[in-house]
Amino acid sequence: MSKVFIALSVSVDGYITGRDPGAGRGLGDGTMLFDWFFDGDTPSQVFDGFHLSEPSARVLDAVAGRVGASLAGRNTYDYSGWVHGGTPHPTAPLIVLSNRPVPGMSDDRQTLVTTGIEDAVAVAREAAGDKDVALMGGGVATAALAAGLVDEVILHQVPVLLGGGRPYFQSLPAHVRLRLVEAVPAPGVTHLHYEVVR
Ligand SMILES: NC(=O)c1ccc[n+]([C@@H]2O[C@H](COP(=O)([O-])OP(=O)(O)OC[C@H]3O[C@@H](n4cnc5c(N)ncnc54)[C@H](OP(=O)(O)O)[C@@H]3O)[C@@H](O)[C@H]2O)c1
C-alpha cells in the first residue's frame, strides 16, 4: 500500500512560511526556506532549474521519486499559484482539500475534494497507484496526523528563526511518536526523516 508522507522546508522555530504569506506573496518574508533548492551546483533530476548541494540533491530527488500524487491544502493551492493550473510535481497529479468550491478549476491534473481529509487521502492514494502521497501545507499535515493517516514526516530544516508565519504542526489531539530514520546535514539545510510509530 502506498505511504503518506509530509516533506516541507521549515525554520528551526517550526514555520513553513514567513510572515504575511499569500497569493502573489509566496512564503511572505520567509523565502530563504527555499534557498537550498538553488545554492549548489548539482542539478535536480526531477525539478528543472533546481541546483542544489550534492547531499540535498540526493535527498530531494529520492523523496520526489516516490511521489505519485500531491495533496495540498487550499491555502497552499491558492498561495502557490496552482489555482492558475499546473501541479507542484512534474508528473504527479494534484489533489486539493478545501471546504469550498474552486471556481474555474479546469486543469485535468487537479482534483478538488471537499468531504474531508479521509476522502482526500483516499483519492490521492488511488491517483498515486503504486507510488506515495505527498502532503503539502501545515493545515493538511495536521489534519492528516490527527486522523492517523501519516506514515512519515520529513523536515528540511533551515537554520533560521523566522519568528512568525504558518506553522508546520498545529494543535493535535494526542501525541504522535516518531522514530528518526535518517539525518542528512547539508549546506544551508538539515534533512530530518522520521517515521510515525504506530
Ligand atoms: N515550506 C514548505 O515547504 C511549504 C510547502 C507547502 C506549502 N507551503 C506554504 O504553506 C502555506 C499554507 O499552509 P497552511 O498551513 O496555511 O494551509 P494549507 O494546509 O495549505 O491549507 C489549509 C486549508 O486547507 C483546507 N483544509 C485543511 N484541512 C481540511 C479538512 N480536514 N477538511 C477540509 N478542508 C481542509 C482549509 O481550506 P478552506 O476551509 O479555506 O477551504 C484550510 O484552511 C502557503 O503559504 C504555502 O506556500 C510551504
Side-chain angles (χ1 to χ4, degrees):
M1 180 136 145
S2 67
K3 296 247 170 97
V4 175
F5 70 83
I6 321 164
L8 304 179
S9 289
V10 58
S11 64
V12 170
D13 54 350
Y15 295 106
I16 58 169
T17 73
R19 291 185 180 86
D20 202 24
R25 297 192 303 278
L27 299 179
D29 74 357
T31 53
M32 73 280 282
L33 290 176
F34 288 168
D35 282 355
W36 62 277
F37 292 149
F38 308 107
D39 67 359
D41 50 20
T42 307
S44 167
Q45 302 300 308
V46 179
F47 298 104
D48 275 350
F50 284 29
H51 285 82
L52 309 95
S53 68
E54 188 282 326
S56 285
R58 199 160 17 93
V59 169
L60 182 73
D61 284 353
V63 171
R66 297 174 48 188
V67 178
S70 305
L71 168 52
R74 181 64 182 269
N75 294 348
T76 297
Y77 180 71
D78 285 351
Y79 299 176
S80 305
W82 311 120
V83 68
H84 304 298
T87 57
H89 188 281
T91 57
L94 173 62
I95 317 305
V96 182
L97 177 61
S98 184
N99 293 295
R100 306 170 279 134
V102 174
M105 185 187 248
S106 59
D107 190 324
D108 61 9
R109 295 165 297 174
Q110 299 184 353
T111 303
L112 175 67
V113 176
T114 57
T115 48
I117 188 68
E118 282 87 357
D119 285 350
V121 168
V123 168
R125 277 192 202 278
E126 180 71 27
D130 293 339
K131 293 192 147 193
D132 294 336
V133 173
L135 305 181
M136 302 182 71
V140 154
T142 302
L145 282 163
L149 294 168
V150 178
D151 299 298
E152 297 171 36
V153 178
I154 297 169
L155 286 77
H156 304 296
Q157 193 187 65
V158 174
V160 62
L161 301 171
L162 286 174
R166 299 290 166 92
Y168 196 139
F169 306 106
Q170 301 167 10
S171 175
L172 286 167
H175 296 171
V176 176
R177 297 190 71 84
L178 303 174
R179 186 180 74 80
L180 183 65
V181 176
E182 189 181 37
V184 179
V189 61
T190 301
H191 307 281
L192 298 167
H193 185 161
Y194 295 94
E195 217 170 51
V196 172
V197 177
R198 291 210 166 83

